Amino acid sequence: MPGSEQREFRAEVRKVLNILTNSLYTNREIFLRELISNASDALDKLRYRANRGETPRLPDTPLEIRITLNKDARTLTIADTGVGMTPEELADNLGTIAKSGSEEFLAGLSSQEGKDGEPADASNIIGRFGVGFYSVFMVAEKVEVTSRPAFADGDPAAWRWSSDGLGTFTVEECADAEPARGTVIVAHLKEDASEFLEPYRVQSVIRKHSAFVPFPVLVDGERVNTQPALWREPKSSIKPEDYNAFYKHLTYDSADPLDVLHISVDAPVQFNALLYIPATAQDFFGADRDFWGLDLYARRVLIQHRNKDVIPDWLAFLKGVVDTEDLPLNISRETLQENRVLMKISQTITKQMLSHLEKMAADRPDVYARFWKLHSKVFKLSYQDFAQRERVAALMRFNSSRLDDGDALTGLDDYMSRAPEGQKTFWYLSAPNREAARLSPHLERFRKKGIEVLFLYEPVDEFVMEGLGVYKEWNFKAVENAADDALDAFADKEDDAPAATPLSEDDSRTFDELMKRIKEILGDRVADVRVSHRLADSPAVLVSPDGGMTSSMEKLFRAMHKDDSIPVKTLELNRDHPLLRSLLRIFKADPQDKALAGMAELLFEGCLLREGYVKDPQALAGHANALMEQAAAWYTEVRKI
Ligand code: ADP
Ligand code: MG
């Protein structure tokens, strides 16, 4: 360890400090929560290593956190008897932050900016990205951290880290200073932070934010926290407020959870678990990527924060605690993976959570709908869990053509109960939103037959459909892959407009010629031109070659491969549409008619547009204008104006 020269904070630490010291934040009191949580972590670490057979110095020292307030010196001091830090650790742990951590923290802070110039609230995100300690500089103008490691060889000296939080810090030896073991932090409070010199104020902050810390917390010698390990208490003795308070302690979420499941299991393994469904959305595909798992305890001793072996990834939205009697206290974190006890816990939690959700869906559909809105992105990944497929399929929810609005949801069982006799397929359609789905030409003949279609708005949904494969002997199919005769067994809805008069045999043959001509006009841009059996109201549609991917899947793959070319598809024409009937008449008069070519172009471009492929909007607008120019001229002639 180098001497006691001044050292610079790394750039990312300076940025975080600069913001915390200079910006006004509400909820500055949470600095106490952060210091207490670090002290508690240090005590947890000591207990964990002691259980594994290491002997700390002064083994009889109680595990506790002592806070003392000194009005004359204007200091708040917090001392713990935990693992402590070596001088190297002081410099590393309190002088650096993982770079990604500081970036995510700063990004998070700016998204929490107060409205209308109100001070921002940092309390939800501080402590999340390894920046908790620095929050002390919201209230302190100078901080000294003196530490003596618990597991060093021989008789280690104490070392002191100190800083005013501006740009530099020092680490120096002060061999005989307190503590005898662990860490003492002295915060010299700023002018405007005198409230934290008042015992009643500090006690109330601790009761609010640190009530469940599993070690005694004392203020000026008096014990403040008295909450037991909630998950070990009998359910009948726990009030909803207690559950909510523990949730907030665990997550720093300011909102109450949506729901809680408290379980106590004796076989095949003994464990207690407290599982919360947050009422707040999480971003597991972004900032919250690694921020999941349950806190794992063995006989009330914390083994690991956010253990990811006790729940499957599709339950990642759960927050909570698992405590088991069946793990040895001396288990090492490194050997937790593949541990049979954890595997059994995960299986039991999965089953109980599914039962809980099934009950919620049946008895409290409005709460279930909220759950779905918040957490379905993750929950849907359960389609890959082969063992649970039938149960998770029943819990899936989608919007559909039959529902009143884009927010309404249906399950597969309800869909089945509404389907006409003989239907054995869940029909679905992918689209960016309900408006786009309802305009899809592929939907037209389903509408005509009154057959409900599930609307899928997220890319993962199609994978879910393919992954589920079959549910209660029904299969899943995209409407655009429906065979020509797929709906023949179902009668048209009666209120439908009368069908167009069929083409005569002669005209049918001429229509085939017209299709050849259109193929000639469009050339390689279409694979083929043929008669459509799927359209009711639209003149034309582009379809993928039979059995191919759906267009949304295809788009996903093209995006993945950065391929922005336009796929070559088959153009299907609606023979009964007035536009095609007119084109047929023009064609009969003159197969080489110039206007016909222009209209065929525009018809094709309109189809591309609907599919979401527009590469050249200039050309499209040009063609539309040219045609309109002609139409307007004819119109004035016809109307004689
Ligand atoms: P986090 O707690 O998320 O790691 P913090 O900024 O709160 O981030 O703390 C940084 C690190 O400093 C901790 O991980 C720990 O290694 C060390 N540390 C802070 N306070 C203490 C303490 N009281 N005893 C021992 N180590 C501590
Ligand atoms: Mg911390």
Side-chain angles (χ1 to χ4, degrees), residues 67-101:
I67 295 173
T68 37
L69 309 173
N70 185 332
K71 280 192 184 165
D72 299 330
R74 294 188 56 76
T75 55
L76 180 151
T77 302
I78 166 166
D80 68 68
T81 51
V83 277
M85 284 176 272
T86 64
E88 290 79 12
E89 285 168 339
L90 278 169
D92 284 348
N93 297 343
L94 309 182
T96 56
I97 314 174
K99 200 168 172 119
S100 60

CSV table of all heavy atoms in Angstrom, one decimal, residues 67-101:
chain,number,residue,atom,x,y,z
A,67,ILE,N,-24.7,3.5,16.0
A,67,ILE,CA,-24.7,4.9,15.5
A,67,ILE,C,-24.6,5.8,16.7
A,67,ILE,O,-25.4,5.7,17.7
A,67,ILE,CB,-26.0,5.1,14.7
A,67,ILE,CG1,-26.0,4.2,13.4
A,67,ILE,CG2,-26.1,6.6,14.3
A,67,ILE,CD1,-27.2,4.2,12.6
A,68,THR,N,-23.7,6.8,16.6
A,68,THR,CA,-23.7,7.8,17.7
A,68,THR,C,-23.7,9.2,17.0
A,68,THR,O,-23.1,9.4,16.0
A,68,THR,CB,-22.4,7.7,18.5
A,68,THR,OG1,-21.3,7.3,17.7
A,68,THR,CG2,-22.5,6.7,19.6
A,69,LEU,N,-24.4,10.1,17.7
A,69,LEU,CA,-24.6,11.5,17.2
A,69,LEU,C,-23.9,12.4,18.1
A,69,LEU,O,-24.1,12.3,19.4
A,69,LEU,CB,-26.1,11.8,17.2
A,69,LEU,CG,-27.0,10.7,16.4
A,69,LEU,CD1,-28.5,11.0,16.6
A,69,LEU,CD2,-26.6,10.6,15.0
A,70,ASN,N,-23.2,13.3,17.6
A,70,ASN,CA,-22.5,14.3,18.4
A,70,ASN,C,-22.8,15.7,17.9
A,70,ASN,O,-22.2,16.2,16.8
A,70,ASN,CB,-21.0,14.0,18.3
A,70,ASN,CG,-20.2,14.9,19.3
A,70,ASN,OD1,-20.6,16.1,19.6
A,70,ASN,ND2,-19.1,14.5,19.7
A,71,LYS,N,-23.7,16.4,18.6
A,71,LYS,CA,-24.1,17.8,18.1
A,71,LYS,C,-23.0,18.8,18.1
A,71,LYS,O,-22.9,19.6,17.3
A,71,LYS,CB,-25.2,18.3,19.0
A,71,LYS,CG,-26.6,17.7,18.7
A,71,LYS,CD,-27.7,18.4,19.3
A,71,LYS,CE,-29.0,17.6,19.0
A,71,LYS,NZ,-30.1,18.0,19.8
A,72,ASP,N,-22.1,18.7,19.1
A,72,ASP,CA,-21.0,19.7,19.2
A,72,ASP,C,-20.0,19.5,18.1
A,72,ASP,O,-19.7,20.5,17.4
A,72,ASP,CB,-20.2,19.5,20.5
A,72,ASP,CG,-21.2,19.7,21.7
A,72,ASP,OD1,-22.1,20.5,21.5
A,72,ASP,OD2,-21.0,19.1,22.8
A,73,ALA,N,-19.7,18.3,17.8
A,73,ALA,CA,-18.7,18.0,16.7
A,73,ALA,C,-19.4,18.0,15.3
A,73,ALA,O,-18.8,18.0,14.3
A,73,ALA,CB,-18.0,16.7,16.9
A,74,ARG,N,-20.8,18.0,15.4
A,74,ARG,CA,-21.6,17.9,14.1
A,74,ARG,C,-21.3,16.6,13.4
A,74,ARG,O,-21.1,16.6,12.1
A,74,ARG,CB,-21.5,19.1,13.2
A,74,ARG,CG,-22.0,20.4,13.8
A,74,ARG,CD,-22.0,21.5,12.8
A,74,ARG,NE,-22.8,21.2,11.6
A,74,ARG,CZ,-24.1,21.2,11.6
A,74,ARG,NH1,-24.8,21.5,12.6
A,74,ARG,NH2,-24.7,20.9,10.4
A,75,THR,N,-21.1,15.5,14.1
A,75,THR,CA,-20.8,14.2,13.4
A,75,THR,C,-21.9,13.2,13.6
A,75,THR,O,-22.5,13.1,14.7
A,75,THR,CB,-19.5,13.7,13.9
A,75,THR,OG1,-19.5,13.5,15.3
A,75,THR,CG2,-18.3,14.5,13.5
A,76,LEU,N,-22.1,12.4,12.6
A,76,LEU,CA,-22.8,11.1,12.8
A,76,LEU,C,-21.9,10.0,12.5
A,76,LEU,O,-21.2,10.0,11.5
A,76,LEU,CB,-24.0,11.1,11.7
A,76,LEU,CG,-24.9,9.9,11.7
A,76,LEU,CD1,-26.3,10.3,11.2
A,76,LEU,CD2,-24.3,8.8,10.8
A,77,THR,N,-21.8,9.1,13.5
A,77,THR,CA,-20.8,8.0,13.4
A,77,THR,C,-21.5,6.7,13.3
A,77,THR,O,-22.4,6.4,14.1
A,77,THR,CB,-19.8,8.0,14.6
A,77,THR,OG1,-19.2,9.3,14.7
A,77,THR,CG2,-18.8,6.9,14.5
A,78,ILE,N,-21.1,5.8,12.4
A,78,ILE,CA,-21.7,4.5,12.3
A,78,ILE,C,-20.6,3.4,12.3
A,78,ILE,O,-19.7,3.5,11.5
A,78,ILE,CB,-22.6,4.4,11.1
A,78,ILE,CG1,-23.0,2.9,10.8
A,78,ILE,CG2,-22.1,5.0,9.8
A,78,ILE,CD1,-24.2,2.8,9.8
A,79,ALA,N,-20.7,2.5,13.3
A,79,ALA,CA,-19.6,1.5,13.5
A,79,ALA,C,-20.2,0.2,13.4
A,79,ALA,O,-21.3,-0.1,13.9
A,79,ALA,CB,-19.0,1.7,14.9
A,80,ASP,N,-19.5,-0.7,12.6
A,80,ASP,CA,-19.9,-2.1,12.6
A,80,ASP,C,-18.8,-3.0,13.0
A,80,ASP,O,-17.6,-2.6,12.9
A,80,ASP,CB,-20.5,-2.5,11.2
A,80,ASP,CG,-19.4,-2.5,10.1
A,80,ASP,OD1,-18.5,-3.4,10.2
A,80,ASP,OD2,-19.4,-1.6,9.3
A,81,THR,N,-19.1,-4.2,13.4
A,81,THR,CA,-18.1,-5.2,13.8
A,81,THR,C,-17.9,-6.3,12.7
A,81,THR,O,-17.7,-7.5,13.0
A,81,THR,CB,-18.5,-5.8,15.1
A,81,THR,OG1,-19.8,-6.3,15.1
A,81,THR,CG2,-18.4,-4.8,16.3
A,82,GLY,N,-18.1,-5.9,11.5
A,82,GLY,CA,-18.1,-6.9,10.4
A,82,GLY,C,-16.7,-7.2,9.8
A,82,GLY,O,-15.7,-7.0,10.6
A,83,VAL,N,-16.6,-7.6,8.6
A,83,VAL,CA,-15.3,-8.0,8.0
A,83,VAL,C,-14.2,-6.9,7.9
A,83,VAL,O,-13.1,-7.2,7.9
A,83,VAL,CB,-15.4,-8.6,6.6
A,83,VAL,CG1,-15.9,-10.0,6.6
A,83,VAL,CG2,-16.3,-7.7,5.7
A,84,GLY,N,-14.7,-5.6,7.8
A,84,GLY,CA,-13.7,-4.6,7.7
A,84,GLY,C,-13.0,-4.6,6.3
A,84,GLY,O,-13.3,-5.4,5.5
A,85,MET,N,-12.1,-3.7,6.1
A,85,MET,CA,-11.4,-3.6,4.8
A,85,MET,C,-9.9,-3.4,5.1
A,85,MET,O,-9.4,-2.7,6.0
A,85,MET,CB,-11.9,-2.4,4.1
A,85,MET,CG,-13.3,-2.6,3.4
A,85,MET,SD,-13.9,-1.2,2.6
A,85,MET,CE,-14.8,-0.3,3.9
A,86,THR,N,-9.1,-4.0,4.2
A,86,THR,CA,-7.6,-3.8,4.2
A,86,THR,C,-7.4,-2.4,3.5
A,86,THR,O,-8.4,-1.9,2.9
A,86,THR,CB,-6.9,-4.8,3.3
A,86,THR,OG1,-7.4,-4.7,2.0
A,86,THR,CG2,-7.2,-6.2,3.9
A,87,PRO,N,-6.2,-1.8,3.6
A,87,PRO,CA,-6.0,-0.5,3.0
A,87,PRO,C,-6.3,-0.6,1.5
A,87,PRO,O,-6.8,0.4,0.9
A,87,PRO,CB,-4.6,-0.2,3.3
A,87,PRO,CG,-4.0,-1.3,4.0
A,87,PRO,CD,-5.1,-2.2,4.5
A,88,GLU,N,-5.9,-1.7,0.9
A,88,GLU,CA,-6.1,-1.8,-0.6
A,88,GLU,C,-7.6,-1.8,-0.9
A,88,GLU,O,-8.1,-1.2,-1.8
A,88,GLU,CB,-5.5,-3.2,-1.1
A,88,GLU,CG,-4.0,-3.2,-1.2
A,88,GLU,CD,-3.4,-3.5,0.2
A,88,GLU,OE1,-4.1,-3.9,1.1
A,88,GLU,OE2,-2.2,-3.3,0.3
A,89,GLU,N,-8.4,-2.5,0.0
A,89,GLU,CA,-9.8,-2.6,-0.2
A,89,GLU,C,-10.5,-1.2,0.0
A,89,GLU,O,-11.4,-0.8,-0.7
A,89,GLU,CB,-10.5,-3.6,0.7
A,89,GLU,CG,-10.2,-5.1,0.2
A,89,GLU,CD,-10.6,-6.1,1.3
A,89,GLU,OE1,-10.6,-5.8,2.5
A,89,GLU,OE2,-10.8,-7.3,0.9
A,90,LEU,N,-9.9,-0.5,1.0
A,90,LEU,CA,-10.5,0.9,1.2
A,90,LEU,C,-10.3,1.7,-0.1
A,90,LEU,O,-11.3,2.4,-0.5
A,90,LEU,CB,-9.7,1.6,2.3
A,90,LEU,CG,-10.1,1.3,3.7
A,90,LEU,CD1,-9.1,1.8,4.7
A,90,LEU,CD2,-11.5,1.8,4.0
A,91,ALA,N,-9.2,1.6,-0.7
A,91,ALA,CA,-8.9,2.4,-1.9
A,91,ALA,C,-9.8,1.9,-3.1
A,91,ALA,O,-10.3,2.7,-3.8
A,91,ALA,CB,-7.4,2.4,-2.3
A,92,ASP,N,-9.8,0.6,-3.2
A,92,ASP,CA,-10.6,0.0,-4.4
A,92,ASP,C,-12.1,0.2,-4.2
A,92,ASP,O,-12.8,0.7,-5.1
A,92,ASP,CB,-10.3,-1.5,-4.5
A,92,ASP,CG,-9.0,-1.7,-5.1
A,92,ASP,OD1,-8.4,-0.7,-5.6
A,92,ASP,OD2,-8.5,-2.9,-5.1
A,93,ASN,N,-12.6,-0.2,-3.0
A,93,ASN,CA,-14.1,-0.2,-2.8
A,93,ASN,C,-14.6,1.2,-2.7
A,93,ASN,O,-15.8,1.5,-3.1
A,93,ASN,CB,-14.5,-1.0,-1.6
A,93,ASN,CG,-14.0,-2.4,-1.7
A,93,ASN,OD1,-13.8,-2.9,-2.8
A,93,ASN,ND2,-14.0,-3.1,-0.6
A,94,LEU,N,-13.9,2.2,-2.2
A,94,LEU,CA,-14.4,3.5,-2.0
A,94,LEU,C,-13.8,4.5,-2.9
A,94,LEU,O,-13.9,5.7,-2.7
A,94,LEU,CB,-14.2,3.9,-0.5
A,94,LEU,CG,-14.7,2.9,0.5
A,94,LEU,CD1,-14.5,3.5,1.9
A,94,LEU,CD2,-16.2,2.6,0.3
A,95,GLY,N,-13.1,4.0,-3.9
A,95,GLY,CA,-12.4,5.0,-4.9
A,95,GLY,C,-12.8,4.7,-6.3
A,95,GLY,O,-12.6,5.5,-7.2
A,96,THR,N,-13.5,3.6,-6.5
A,96,THR,CA,-13.9,3.2,-7.9
A,96,THR,C,-15.3,2.7,-7.9
A,96,THR,O,-15.9,2.4,-6.9
A,96,THR,CB,-13.0,2.1,-8.4
A,96,THR,OG1,-13.1,1.0,-7.5
A,96,THR,CG2,-11.6,2.5,-8.5
A,97,ILE,N,-15.9,2.7,-9.1
A,97,ILE,CA,-17.2,2.1,-9.3
A,97,ILE,C,-17.0,1.4,-10.6
A,97,ILE,O,-16.3,1.8,-11.5
A,97,ILE,CB,-18.3,3.1,-9.6
A,97,ILE,CG1,-18.3,4.3,-8.6
A,97,ILE,CG2,-19.7,2.5,-9.6
A,97,ILE,CD1,-19.3,5.4,-8.9
A,98,ALA,N,-17.7,0.2,-10.8
A,98,ALA,CA,-17.7,-0.4,-12.1
A,98,ALA,C,-18.3,0.6,-13.1
A,98,ALA,O,-19.3,1.3,-12.8
A,98,ALA,CB,-18.6,-1.7,-12.1
A,99,LYS,N,-17.6,0.8,-14.2
A,99,LYS,CA,-17.9,1.9,-15.1
A,99,LYS,C,-19.4,1.8,-15.5
A,99,LYS,O,-20.1,2.7,-15.5
A,99,LYS,CB,-17.0,1.8,-16.3
A,99,LYS,CG,-17.0,3.1,-17.1
A,99,LYS,CD,-15.9,3.2,-18.1
A,99,LYS,CE,-16.2,4.5,-18.9
A,99,LYS,NZ,-15.2,5.4,-18.9
A,100,SER,N,-19.8,0.5,-15.9
A,100,SER,CA,-21.2,0.4,-16.3
A,100,SER,C,-22.2,0.8,-15.2
A,100,SER,O,-23.2,1.4,-15.5
A,100,SER,CB,-21.5,-1.1,-16.7
A,100,SER,OG,-21.3,-1.9,-15.6
A,101,GLY,N,-21.8,0.5,-14.0
A,101,GLY,CA,-22.6,0.9,-12.8
A,101,GLY,C,-22.8,2.3,-12.8
A,101,GLY,O,-24.0,2.8,-12.6
